[in-house]
Amino acid sequence: MFCTLNTHKVDMDKLLGGQIGLEDFIFAHVKGQRKEVEVFKSEEALGLTITDNGAGYAFIKRIKEGSVIDHIQLISVGDMIEAINGQSLLGCRHYEVARLLKELP
C-alpha cells in the first residue's frame, strides 16, 4: 500500500511524505492483483524508476517511453516489485531493488 497527496491518481510524484498540511487530502492505494512477469533484459537499462514507501515496499515510479518495460503491457506505474527471480524484495529500499535490477545479466 502507498498513499498519494491531493490526487486519487497513481502519481508517484505525489507520494505522501512529511509535507502534509491541514488542507491536504490523502488517498490510499491498496494492493491489487498479483502478476508474474518474465522480462528479457535486451538492453543495459530496463527503463524504469523505482521508489519505496519507507515500509519495505518498492514501487515503479516512472517508465521511460520506448523502453524494455514500456513494451510490456502488464507492467505499469504504481506496481509493487515483490520479487526478482524468486528472491523476495519485501523490506528492501528502492535503491537496493534498483541495484538488483541493474545487476541482472
Side-chain angles (χ1 to χ4, degrees):
M1 181 170 105
F2 62 92
C3 296
T4 54
L5 193 60
N6 298 320
T7 181
H8 66 282
K9 296 180 182 178
V10 177
D11 183 346
M12 292 294 153
D13 291 326
K14 303 287 185 178
L15 282 178
L16 178 63
Q19 73 284 5
I20 189 166
L22 293 174
E23 301 294 320
D24 290 325
F25 288 96
I26 300 172
F27 294 88
H29 304 270
V30 295
K31 189 174 184 179
Q33 188 176 41
R34 175 178 266 163
K35 38 189 162 173
E36 188 171 322
V37 181
E38 188 171 316
V39 177
F40 176 70
K41 189 176 176 185
S42 58
E43 298 177 18
E44 183 69 26
L46 292 171
L48 55 95
T49 304
I50 300 168
T51 190
D52 64 69
N53 65 355
Y57 298 101
F59 299 92
I60 297 175
K61 180 177 181 174
R62 242 180 242 106
I63 298 175
K64 182 180 177 185
E65 191 173 323
S67 67
V68 172
I69 295 298
D70 189 40
H71 294 300
I72 301 172
Q73 298 290 337
L74 287 175
I75 299 176
S76 58
V77 169
D79 285 350
M80 182 182 90
I81 303 173
E82 187 174 319
I84 298 174
N85 291 335
Q87 178 184 347
S88 174
L89 300 176
L90 300 181
C92 291
R93 297 296 310 261
H94 66 281
Y95 53 86
E96 296 171 299
V97 176
R99 181 180 43 82
L100 289 171
L101 288 170
K102 188 173 184 169
E103 290 174 354
L104 288 173

